[in-house]
Amino acid sequence: MTGSPAFLVPTVLLEGLALGESPRWHDDRLWLSDWLGGEVMSVDAEGKKTVELEMSGIPFCFDWLPDGRLLILSNADGRTLLRREYDGTLVTHAELADISSYPWNEIVVDARGNAYINSIGYDMMAGEDPKPGVLAVVTPDGSVTQLADDLHFPNGMVITPDGSTLIVSESHAKRLTAFDIAADTTLSNRRVWAEVDGYPDGICLDAEGAVWAAAMDRCLRIEEGGRVLAQVELDRSPFACMLGGDTLYIVAAEWKGAEGMTPANRTGRVLTVQAPAPRAGHP
């Protein structure tokens, strides 16, 4: 693919959210969090939503174990990774405060059930000055190990289909950073995967190896090295994106700063656009 990036035009699938985040594709449906609305929901192809569970204590992001149980990062009471059992009950999968007492942000689970998670490293909602965050792994037995530090607002993450590479957004550094994943879950060969013109937030990976990144006022399809292949311009801030088949789903809302994060502001939307390639990897 050469030349200028393709400009793709989205359509609105769902409106009236407070702050949509953590979109995932699961069982042929879109799932997402409404952080300020206190809900994890699924959405069908016609835009009808189903509330799957109620949550509190933003942020709360989620992904699934290989056996179908849901993992949810919870910041409501301490710093905990929760697991939803088959009967719907929530239990503690791992305690995270010993690694970082600051908010835990994003999660991606690999094919073996290892959950890679990150913490932003400061209390944004309390108005603290930014500080670097960390990246950790929770193994299936609930053990927690820090793997990397000095990440500048770590955000969305993806794992390549072969399980060999983890890519994480560093929002404040305007880049996507990659690590090699070893068989024992440790990370090495830290490198810049792409510089981003904007502040990358949630990301997803497609079958051609490109990353879709929510970035300020648009979503960008980026190849390794930083070339932009396609973009979707928006009238509000995208927070994350996810591919379901060859449809790109974007969650976006008007950003009014941390002080404007209130459930009264219902500017959140789910938008869709036809994508050049289907989803790949995790999540």
Side-chain angles (χ1 to χ4, degrees):
M1 189 172 187
T2 59
S4 301
F7 286 83
L8 307 178
V9 179
T11 58
V12 177
L13 178 67
L14 177 66
E15 295 186 282
L17 302 176
L19 183 64
E21 257 286 7
S22 193
R24 301 287 188 259
W25 188 253
H26 182 71
D27 286 345
D28 296 322
R29 290 170 68 87
L30 178 72
W31 288 57
L32 67 144
S33 300
D34 187 345
W35 283 1
L36 301 179
E39 297 173 340
V40 173
M41 68 187 72
S42 63
V43 183
D44 67 16
E46 285 71 47
K48 179 182 177 181
K49 81 171 191 177
T50 300
V51 176
E52 302 288 349
L53 68 155
E54 296 182 350
M55 295 292 297
S56 61
I58 62 173
F60 51 92
C61 293
F62 60 91
D63 200 2
W64 283 266
L65 289 165
D67 63 13
R69 290 178 297 172
L70 187 67
L71 295 182
I72 309 165
L73 281 170
S74 173
N75 292 279
D77 299 308
R79 310 299 182 209
T80 310
L81 182 61
L82 300 176
R83 185 180 70 246
R84 188 169 73 159
E85 302 289 59
Y86 298 118
D87 63 1
T89 58
L90 291 174
V91 301
T92 297
H93 190 69
E95 297 287 356
L96 308 175
D98 287 346
I99 300 295
S100 175
S101 61
Y102 293 107
W104 288 86
N105 188 22
E106 267 285 4
I107 178 172
V108 60
V109 181
D110 71 10
R112 297 178 295 161
N114 300 303
Y116 292 84
I117 57 177
N118 61 51
S119 171
I120 64 175
Y122 70 104
D123 192 339
M124 182 181 74
M125 299 303 294
E128 289 186 4
D129 292 334
K131 293 182 290 186
V134 300
L135 195 158
V137 66
V138 181
T139 51
D141 65 358
S143 300
V144 189
T145 304
Q146 181 175 317
L147 299 176
D149 58 10
D150 199 32
L151 292 155
H152 296 271
F153 206 110
N155 224 315
M157 297 186 290
V158 296
I159 295 173
T160 54
D162 63 2
S164 68
T165 305
L166 182 142
I167 303 170
V168 56
S169 295
E170 288 191 77
S171 297
H172 287 175
K174 297 185 177 182
R175 67 189 175 211
L176 303 177
T177 297
F179 298 86
D180 292 343
I181 304 174
D184 64 356
T185 74
T186 56
L187 303 179
S188 64
N189 190 25
R190 181 173 180 165
R191 60 201 181 274
V192 175
W193 194 87
E195 304 283 358
V196 180
D197 181 16
Y199 300 91
D201 197 330
I203 60 176
C204 61
L205 184 71
D206 73 22
E208 295 179 355
V211 166
W212 279 100
M216 293 172 62
D217 58 355
R218 59 203 189 281
C219 271
L220 303 174
R221 182 174 184 246
I222 307 167
E223 68 178 5
E224 185 172 6
R227 187 162 67 98
V228 175
L229 306 175
Q231 67 181 52
V232 183
E233 294 186 350
L234 302 163
D235 65 353
R236 61 202 66 199
S237 299
F239 291 91
C241 52
M242 178 54 55
L243 286 159
D246 57 2
T247 298
L248 180 71
Y249 295 87
I250 303 167
V251 290
E254 294 178 6
W255 175 244
K256 302 178 184 295
E259 66 279 1
M261 293 178 69
T262 164
N265 294 328
R266 292 275 170 173
T267 64
R269 288 178 170 176
V270 177
L271 305 112
T272 66
V273 67
Q274 190 76 18
R279 183 175 66 92
H282 302 272

mmCIF file of all heavy atoms in Angstrom, residues 201-243:
data_model
loop_
_atom_site.group_PDB
_atom_site.id
_atom_site.type_symbol
_atom_site.label_atom_id
_atom_site.label_comp_id
_atom_site.label_asym_id
_atom_site.label_seq_id
_atom_site.Cartn_x
_atom_site.Cartn_y
_atom_site.Cartn_z
ATOM 1 N N ASP A 201 -4.374 5.749 22.416
ATOM 2 C CA ASP A 201 -5.117 5.224 23.553
ATOM 3 C C ASP A 201 -5.360 3.741 23.304
ATOM 4 O O ASP A 201 -4.417 2.976 23.181
ATOM 5 C CB ASP A 201 -6.410 6.027 23.713
ATOM 6 C CG ASP A 201 -7.076 5.862 25.064
ATOM 7 O OD1 ASP A 201 -6.933 4.790 25.679
ATOM 8 O OD2 ASP A 201 -7.766 6.801 25.505
ATOM 9 N N GLY A 202 -6.607 3.316 23.162
ATOM 10 C CA GLY A 202 -6.892 1.919 22.907
ATOM 11 C C GLY A 202 -6.496 1.508 21.498
ATOM 12 O O GLY A 202 -6.588 2.296 20.554
ATOM 13 N N ILE A 203 -6.033 0.246 21.348
ATOM 14 C CA ILE A 203 -5.551 -0.239 20.059
ATOM 15 C C ILE A 203 -6.086 -1.644 19.791
ATOM 16 O O ILE A 203 -6.529 -2.344 20.691
ATOM 17 C CB ILE A 203 -4.004 -0.260 19.988
ATOM 18 C CG1 ILE A 203 -3.407 -1.173 21.075
ATOM 19 C CG2 ILE A 203 -3.448 1.156 20.097
ATOM 20 C CD1 ILE A 203 -1.884 -1.307 21.005
ATOM 21 N N CYS A 204 -6.033 -2.027 18.516
ATOM 22 C CA CYS A 204 -6.312 -3.409 18.121
ATOM 23 C C CYS A 204 -5.447 -3.731 16.904
ATOM 24 O O CYS A 204 -4.874 -2.835 16.273
ATOM 25 C CB CYS A 204 -7.794 -3.634 17.829
ATOM 26 S SG CYS A 204 -8.488 -2.642 16.491
ATOM 27 N N LEU A 205 -5.355 -5.017 16.594
ATOM 28 C CA LEU A 205 -4.448 -5.504 15.555
ATOM 29 C C LEU A 205 -5.260 -6.159 14.448
ATOM 30 O O LEU A 205 -6.245 -6.851 14.726
ATOM 31 C CB LEU A 205 -3.481 -6.503 16.169
ATOM 32 C CG LEU A 205 -2.361 -7.076 15.286
ATOM 33 C CD1 LEU A 205 -1.321 -6.002 14.989
ATOM 34 C CD2 LEU A 205 -1.722 -8.268 15.977
ATOM 35 N N ASP A 206 -4.831 -5.968 13.182
ATOM 36 C CA ASP A 206 -5.539 -6.643 12.096
ATOM 37 C C ASP A 206 -4.681 -7.735 11.464
ATOM 38 O O ASP A 206 -3.497 -7.908 11.791
ATOM 39 C CB ASP A 206 -6.091 -5.647 11.074
ATOM 40 C CG ASP A 206 -5.048 -4.997 10.155
ATOM 41 O OD1 ASP A 206 -3.941 -5.556 9.967
ATOM 42 O OD2 ASP A 206 -5.351 -3.915 9.603
ATOM 43 N N ALA A 207 -5.290 -8.478 10.543
ATOM 44 C CA ALA A 207 -4.657 -9.672 9.977
ATOM 45 C C ALA A 207 -3.506 -9.346 9.042
ATOM 46 O O ALA A 207 -2.756 -10.251 8.654
ATOM 47 C CB ALA A 207 -5.706 -10.502 9.235
ATOM 48 N N GLU A 208 -3.332 -8.081 8.676
ATOM 49 C CA GLU A 208 -2.194 -7.666 7.866
ATOM 50 C C GLU A 208 -1.069 -7.100 8.719
ATOM 51 O O GLU A 208 -0.097 -6.561 8.182
ATOM 52 C CB GLU A 208 -2.651 -6.658 6.812
ATOM 53 C CG GLU A 208 -3.624 -7.261 5.795
ATOM 54 C CD GLU A 208 -4.103 -6.264 4.757
ATOM 55 O OE1 GLU A 208 -3.759 -5.055 4.863
ATOM 56 O OE2 GLU A 208 -4.818 -6.684 3.827
ATOM 57 N N GLY A 209 -1.187 -7.215 10.029
ATOM 58 C CA GLY A 209 -0.136 -6.766 10.930
ATOM 59 C C GLY A 209 -0.162 -5.293 11.255
ATOM 60 O O GLY A 209 0.764 -4.787 11.902
ATOM 61 N N ALA A 210 -1.204 -4.578 10.852
ATOM 62 C CA ALA A 210 -1.332 -3.158 11.163
ATOM 63 C C ALA A 210 -2.083 -2.972 12.470
ATOM 64 O O ALA A 210 -2.927 -3.793 12.844
ATOM 65 C CB ALA A 210 -2.048 -2.426 10.031
ATOM 66 N N VAL A 211 -1.787 -1.890 13.161
ATOM 67 C CA VAL A 211 -2.460 -1.534 14.404
ATOM 68 C C VAL A 211 -3.418 -0.380 14.132
ATOM 69 O O VAL A 211 -3.050 0.613 13.505
ATOM 70 C CB VAL A 211 -1.437 -1.128 15.483
ATOM 71 C CG1 VAL A 211 -2.119 -0.432 16.657
ATOM 72 C CG2 VAL A 211 -0.670 -2.358 15.978
ATOM 73 N N TRP A 212 -4.647 -0.532 14.606
ATOM 74 C CA TRP A 212 -5.584 0.589 14.675
ATOM 75 C C TRP A 212 -5.425 1.235 16.047
ATOM 76 O O TRP A 212 -5.449 0.544 17.075
ATOM 77 C CB TRP A 212 -7.017 0.113 14.514
ATOM 78 C CG TRP A 212 -7.468 -0.126 13.100
ATOM 79 C CD1 TRP A 212 -7.561 -1.321 12.458
ATOM 80 C CD2 TRP A 212 -7.904 0.873 12.174
ATOM 81 N NE1 TRP A 212 -8.028 -1.137 11.174
ATOM 82 C CE2 TRP A 212 -8.249 0.202 10.964
ATOM 83 C CE3 TRP A 212 -8.041 2.265 12.228
ATOM 84 C CZ2 TRP A 212 -8.729 0.871 9.854
ATOM 85 C CZ3 TRP A 212 -8.508 2.936 11.110
ATOM 86 C CH2 TRP A 212 -8.847 2.254 9.938
ATOM 87 N N ALA A 213 -5.244 2.559 16.077
ATOM 88 C CA ALA A 213 -5.053 3.283 17.335
ATOM 89 C C ALA A 213 -6.005 4.463 17.416
ATOM 90 O O ALA A 213 -6.086 5.273 16.484
ATOM 91 C CB ALA A 213 -3.609 3.786 17.447
ATOM 92 N N ALA A 214 -6.740 4.549 18.525
ATOM 93 C CA ALA A 214 -7.516 5.751 18.816
ATOM 94 C C ALA A 214 -6.528 6.843 19.224
ATOM 95 O O ALA A 214 -5.698 6.632 20.105
ATOM 96 C CB ALA A 214 -8.511 5.478 19.935
ATOM 97 N N ALA A 215 -6.611 8.009 18.575
ATOM 98 C CA ALA A 215 -5.590 9.040 18.798
ATOM 99 C C ALA A 215 -6.192 10.433 18.674
ATOM 100 O O ALA A 215 -6.285 10.980 17.577
ATOM 101 C CB ALA A 215 -4.429 8.880 17.819
ATOM 102 N N MET A 216 -6.629 10.979 19.769
ATOM 103 C CA MET A 216 -7.125 12.356 19.883
ATOM 104 C C MET A 216 -8.454 12.554 19.154
ATOM 105 O O MET A 216 -9.498 12.325 19.721
ATOM 106 C CB MET A 216 -6.067 13.349 19.403
ATOM 107 C CG MET A 216 -4.836 13.404 20.282
ATOM 108 S SD MET A 216 -3.487 14.401 19.611
ATOM 109 C CE MET A 216 -4.231 16.025 19.521
ATOM 110 N N ASP A 217 -8.419 12.971 17.889
ATOM 111 C CA ASP A 217 -9.653 13.254 17.161
ATOM 112 C C ASP A 217 -9.840 12.331 15.966
ATOM 113 O O ASP A 217 -10.645 12.619 15.082
ATOM 114 C CB ASP A 217 -9.672 14.714 16.699
ATOM 115 C CG ASP A 217 -8.477 15.070 15.814
ATOM 116 O OD1 ASP A 217 -7.582 14.207 15.636
ATOM 117 O OD2 ASP A 217 -8.439 16.205 15.309
ATOM 118 N N ARG A 218 -9.118 11.216 15.954
ATOM 119 C CA ARG A 218 -9.229 10.288 14.836
ATOM 120 C C ARG A 218 -8.708 8.921 15.247
ATOM 121 O O ARG A 218 -8.024 8.783 16.261
ATOM 122 C CB ARG A 218 -8.448 10.802 13.625
ATOM 123 C CG ARG A 218 -6.968 11.006 13.873
ATOM 124 C CD ARG A 218 -6.384 12.003 12.871
ATOM 125 N NE ARG A 218 -4.944 12.087 12.911
ATOM 126 C CZ ARG A 218 -4.245 12.760 13.823
ATOM 127 N NH1 ARG A 218 -4.864 13.394 14.797
ATOM 128 N NH2 ARG A 218 -2.942 12.799 13.749
ATOM 129 N N CYS A 219 -9.035 7.924 14.436
ATOM 130 C CA CYS A 219 -8.450 6.602 14.573
ATOM 131 C C CYS A 219 -7.521 6.382 13.400
ATOM 132 O O CYS A 219 -7.873 6.687 12.245
ATOM 133 C CB CYS A 219 -9.530 5.528 14.595
ATOM 134 S SG CYS A 219 -10.144 5.166 16.234
ATOM 135 N N LEU A 220 -6.338 5.849 13.670
ATOM 136 C CA LEU A 220 -5.312 5.669 12.655
ATOM 137 C C LEU A 220 -4.997 4.191 12.482
ATOM 138 O O LEU A 220 -4.863 3.461 13.465
ATOM 139 C CB LEU A 220 -4.034 6.409 13.049
ATOM 140 C CG LEU A 220 -4.148 7.906 13.311
ATOM 141 C CD1 LEU A 220 -2.829 8.449 13.842
ATOM 142 C CD2 LEU A 220 -4.566 8.644 12.045
ATOM 143 N N ARG A 221 -4.851 3.771 11.234
ATOM 144 C CA ARG A 221 -4.345 2.433 10.936
ATOM 145 C C ARG A 221 -2.875 2.590 10.576
ATOM 146 O O ARG A 221 -2.526 3.247 9.582
ATOM 147 C CB ARG A 221 -5.131 1.799 9.786
ATOM 148 C CG ARG A 221 -4.689 0.368 9.460
ATOM 149 C CD ARG A 221 -5.591 -0.262 8.403
ATOM 150 N NE ARG A 221 -5.219 -1.651 8.163
ATOM 151 C CZ ARG A 221 -4.721 -2.120 7.020
ATOM 152 N NH1 ARG A 221 -4.548 -1.302 5.980
ATOM 153 N NH2 ARG A 221 -4.397 -3.391 6.897
ATOM 154 N N ILE A 222 -1.993 1.986 11.389
ATOM 155 C CA ILE A 222 -0.555 2.251 11.330
ATOM 156 C C ILE A 222 0.191 0.947 11.103
ATOM 157 O O ILE A 222 -0.100 -0.066 11.745
ATOM 158 C CB ILE A 222 -0.073 2.901 12.651
ATOM 159 C CG1 ILE A 222 -0.912 4.137 12.984
ATOM 160 C CG2 ILE A 222 1.399 3.258 12.576
ATOM 161 C CD1 ILE A 222 -0.710 4.630 14.402
ATOM 162 N N GLU A 223 1.184 0.981 10.215
ATOM 163 C CA GLU A 223 2.058 -0.174 10.060
ATOM 164 C C GLU A 223 3.300 0.015 10.916
ATOM 165 O O GLU A 223 3.619 1.143 11.336
ATOM 166 C CB GLU A 223 2.436 -0.387 8.599
ATOM 167 C CG GLU A 223 3.333 0.673 8.012
ATOM 168 C CD GLU A 223 3.717 0.380 6.565
ATOM 169 O OE1 GLU A 223 3.216 -0.592 5.995
ATOM 170 O OE2 GLU A 223 4.526 1.158 6.009
ATOM 171 N N GLU A 224 4.005 -1.085 11.188
ATOM 172 C CA GLU A 224 5.229 -0.982 11.969
ATOM 173 C C GLU A 224 6.194 -0.028 11.280
ATOM 174 O O GLU A 224 6.415 -0.100 10.069
ATOM 175 C CB GLU A 224 5.880 -2.354 12.137
ATOM 176 C CG GLU A 224 7.084 -2.345 13.043
ATOM 177 C CD GLU A 224 7.619 -3.715 13.361
ATOM 178 O OE1 GLU A 224 7.111 -4.711 12.780
ATOM 179 O OE2 GLU A 224 8.543 -3.815 14.186
ATOM 180 N N GLY A 225 6.759 0.900 12.036
ATOM 181 C CA GLY A 225 7.595 1.952 11.479
ATOM 182 C C GLY A 225 6.894 3.296 11.465
ATOM 183 O O GLY A 225 7.558 4.339 11.395
ATOM 184 N N GLY A 226 5.537 3.287 11.523
ATOM 185 C CA GLY A 226 4.814 4.534 11.704
ATOM 186 C C GLY A 226 4.012 5.054 10.530
ATOM 187 O O GLY A 226 3.307 6.057 10.679
ATOM 188 N N ARG A 227 4.104 4.399 9.346
ATOM 189 C CA ARG A 227 3.345 4.920 8.215
ATOM 190 C C ARG A 227 1.848 4.709 8.440
ATOM 191 O O ARG A 227 1.407 3.619 8.805
ATOM 192 C CB ARG A 227 3.777 4.251 6.905
ATOM 193 C CG ARG A 227 3.131 4.872 5.654
ATOM 194 C CD ARG A 227 3.914 4.479 4.409
ATOM 195 N NE ARG A 227 3.813 3.063 4.139
ATOM 196 C CZ ARG A 227 2.960 2.513 3.248
ATOM 197 N NH1 ARG A 227 2.141 3.301 2.576
ATOM 198 N NH2 ARG A 227 2.950 1.217 3.045
ATOM 199 N N VAL A 228 1.081 5.778 8.206
ATOM 200 C CA VAL A 228 -0.368 5.720 8.377
ATOM 201 C C VAL A 228 -1.003 5.219 7.083
ATOM 202 O O VAL A 228 -0.823 5.798 6.014
ATOM 203 C CB VAL A 228 -0.936 7.103 8.752
ATOM 204 C CG1 VAL A 228 -2.462 7.060 8.807
ATOM 205 C CG2 VAL A 228 -0.373 7.565 10.087
ATOM 206 N N LEU A 229 -1.752 4.126 7.195
ATOM 207 C CA LEU A 229 -2.384 3.501 6.040
ATOM 208 C C LEU A 229 -3.814 3.979 5.818
ATOM 209 O O LEU A 229 -4.293 4.008 4.688
ATOM 210 C CB LEU A 229 -2.373 1.980 6.201
ATOM 211 C CG LEU A 229 -1.014 1.331 6.463
ATOM 212 C CD1 LEU A 229 -1.176 -0.153 6.708
ATOM 213 C CD2 LEU A 229 -0.061 1.594 5.304
ATOM 214 N N ALA A 230 -4.499 4.297 6.912
ATOM 215 C CA ALA A 230 -5.886 4.764 6.826
ATOM 216 C C ALA A 230 -6.209 5.550 8.077
ATOM 217 O O ALA A 230 -5.551 5.401 9.118
ATOM 218 C CB ALA A 230 -6.854 3.591 6.670
ATOM 219 N N GLN A 231 -7.235 6.401 7.992
ATOM 220 C CA GLN A 231 -7.655 7.124 9.169
ATOM 221 C C GLN A 231 -9.142 7.412 9.108
ATOM 222 O O GLN A 231 -9.743 7.497 8.039
ATOM 223 C CB GLN A 231 -6.863 8.408 9.379
ATOM 224 C CG GLN A 231 -7.051 9.506 8.377
ATOM 225 C CD GLN A 231 -6.175 10.701 8.722
ATOM 226 O OE1 GLN A 231 -4.960 10.586 8.929
ATOM 227 N NE2 GLN A 231 -6.785 11.871 8.780
ATOM 228 N N VAL A 232 -9.719 7.533 10.298
ATOM 229 C CA VAL A 232 -11.127 7.870 10.465
ATOM 230 C C VAL A 232 -11.181 9.149 11.286
ATOM 231 O O VAL A 232 -10.772 9.158 12.457
ATOM 232 C CB VAL A 232 -11.895 6.747 11.195
ATOM 233 C CG1 VAL A 232 -13.382 7.100 11.273
ATOM 234 C CG2 VAL A 232 -11.686 5.407 10.517
ATOM 235 N N GLU A 233 -11.641 10.238 10.676
ATOM 236 C CA GLU A 233 -11.741 11.502 11.398
ATOM 237 C C GLU A 233 -13.071 11.558 12.135
ATOM 238 O O GLU A 233 -14.107 11.123 11.619
ATOM 239 C CB GLU A 233 -11.602 12.683 10.427
ATOM 240 C CG GLU A 233 -10.219 12.780 9.802
ATOM 241 C CD GLU A 233 -10.031 14.029 8.966
ATOM 242 O OE1 GLU A 233 -11.043 14.731 8.708
ATOM 243 O OE2 GLU A 233 -8.887 14.312 8.586
ATOM 244 N N LEU A 234 -13.036 12.114 13.362
ATOM 245 C CA LEU A 234 -14.201 12.099 14.235
ATOM 246 C C LEU A 234 -14.485 13.489 14.789
ATOM 247 O O LEU A 234 -13.590 14.350 14.821
ATOM 248 C CB LEU A 234 -13.968 11.122 15.391
ATOM 249 C CG LEU A 234 -13.666 9.676 14.973
ATOM 250 C CD1 LEU A 234 -13.064 8.909 16.133
ATOM 251 C CD2 LEU A 234 -14.931 8.997 14.478
ATOM 252 N N ASP A 235 -15.727 13.697 15.242
ATOM 253 C CA ASP A 235 -16.099 14.994 15.816
ATOM 254 C C ASP A 235 -16.008 14.990 17.340
ATOM 255 O O ASP A 235 -16.417 15.947 17.991
ATOM 256 C CB ASP A 235 -17.509 15.383 15.380
ATOM 257 C CG ASP A 235 -18.582 14.437 15.924
ATOM 258 O OD1 ASP A 235 -18.220 13.406 16.520
ATOM 259 O OD2 ASP A 235 -19.785 14.742 15.733
ATOM 260 N N ARG A 236 -15.479 13.900 17.914
ATOM 261 C CA ARG A 236 -15.253 13.784 19.349
ATOM 262 C C ARG A 236 -14.092 12.826 19.569
ATOM 263 O O ARG A 236 -13.640 12.185 18.632
ATOM 264 C CB ARG A 236 -16.517 13.322 20.067
ATOM 265 C CG ARG A 236 -17.027 11.962 19.621
ATOM 266 C CD ARG A 236 -18.511 11.811 19.934
ATOM 267 N NE ARG A 236 -19.291 12.742 19.129
ATOM 268 C CZ ARG A 236 -20.535 13.116 19.422
ATOM 269 N NH1 ARG A 236 -21.127 12.646 20.515
ATOM 270 N NH2 ARG A 236 -21.183 13.960 18.636
ATOM 271 N N SER A 237 -13.633 12.731 20.788
ATOM 272 C CA SER A 237 -12.393 11.996 21.048
ATOM 273 C C SER A 237 -12.631 10.489 21.082
ATOM 274 O O SER A 237 -13.467 10.013 21.856
ATOM 275 C CB SER A 237 -11.798 12.428 22.389
ATOM 276 O OG SER A 237 -11.479 13.800 22.381
ATOM 277 N N PRO A 238 -11.878 9.727 20.282
ATOM 278 C CA PRO A 238 -11.944 8.274 20.400
ATOM 279 C C PRO A 238 -11.072 7.803 21.560
ATOM 280 O O PRO A 238 -9.968 8.295 21.760
ATOM 281 C CB PRO A 238 -11.386 7.797 19.062
ATOM 282 C CG PRO A 238 -10.401 8.859 18.678
ATOM 283 C CD PRO A 238 -10.953 10.151 19.216
ATOM 284 N N PHE A 239 -11.602 6.836 22.313
ATOM 285 C CA PHE A 239 -10.850 6.304 23.445
ATOM 286 C C PHE A 239 -10.301 4.918 23.170
ATOM 287 O O PHE A 239 -9.309 4.509 23.791
ATOM 288 C CB PHE A 239 -11.718 6.297 24.703
ATOM 289 C CG PHE A 239 -12.013 7.679 25.214
ATOM 290 C CD1 PHE A 239 -13.141 8.358 24.796
ATOM 291 C CD2 PHE A 239 -11.141 8.313 26.073
ATOM 292 C CE1 PHE A 239 -13.407 9.651 25.246
ATOM 293 C CE2 PHE A 239 -11.388 9.598 26.518
ATOM 294 C CZ PHE A 239 -12.527 10.276 26.107
ATOM 295 N N ALA A 240 -10.911 4.190 22.266
ATOM 296 C CA ALA A 240 -10.433 2.850 21.936
ATOM 297 C C ALA A 240 -11.161 2.365 20.690
ATOM 298 O O ALA A 240 -12.144 2.964 20.250
ATOM 299 C CB ALA A 240 -10.664 1.888 23.098
ATOM 300 N N CYS A 241 -10.666 1.257 20.134
ATOM 301 C CA CYS A 241 -11.272 0.691 18.935
ATOM 302 C C CYS A 241 -11.065 -0.819 18.955
ATOM 303 O O CYS A 241 -10.152 -1.326 19.619
ATOM 304 C CB CYS A 241 -10.688 1.317 17.673
ATOM 305 S SG CYS A 241 -8.883 1.293 17.592
ATOM 306 N N MET A 242 -11.925 -1.526 18.219
ATOM 307 C CA MET A 242 -11.838 -2.980 18.167
ATOM 308 C C MET A 242 -12.417 -3.466 16.851
ATOM 309 O O MET A 242 -13.435 -2.940 16.384
ATOM 310 C CB MET A 242 -12.604 -3.601 19.335
ATOM 311 C CG MET A 242 -12.631 -5.117 19.353
ATOM 312 S SD MET A 242 -10.995 -5.919 19.289
ATOM 313 C CE MET A 242 -10.158 -5.175 20.690
ATOM 314 N N LEU A 243 -11.761 -4.456 16.277
ATOM 315 C CA LEU A 243 -12.252 -5.088 15.063
ATOM 316 C C LEU A 243 -13.119 -6.290 15.422
ATOM 317 O O LEU A 243 -12.771 -7.084 16.293
ATOM 318 C CB LEU A 243 -11.087 -5.540 14.185
ATOM 319 C CG LEU A 243 -10.328 -4.433 13.452
ATOM 320 C CD1 LEU A 243 -8.943 -4.915 13.047
ATOM 321 C CD2 LEU A 243 -11.118 -3.960 12.235
#
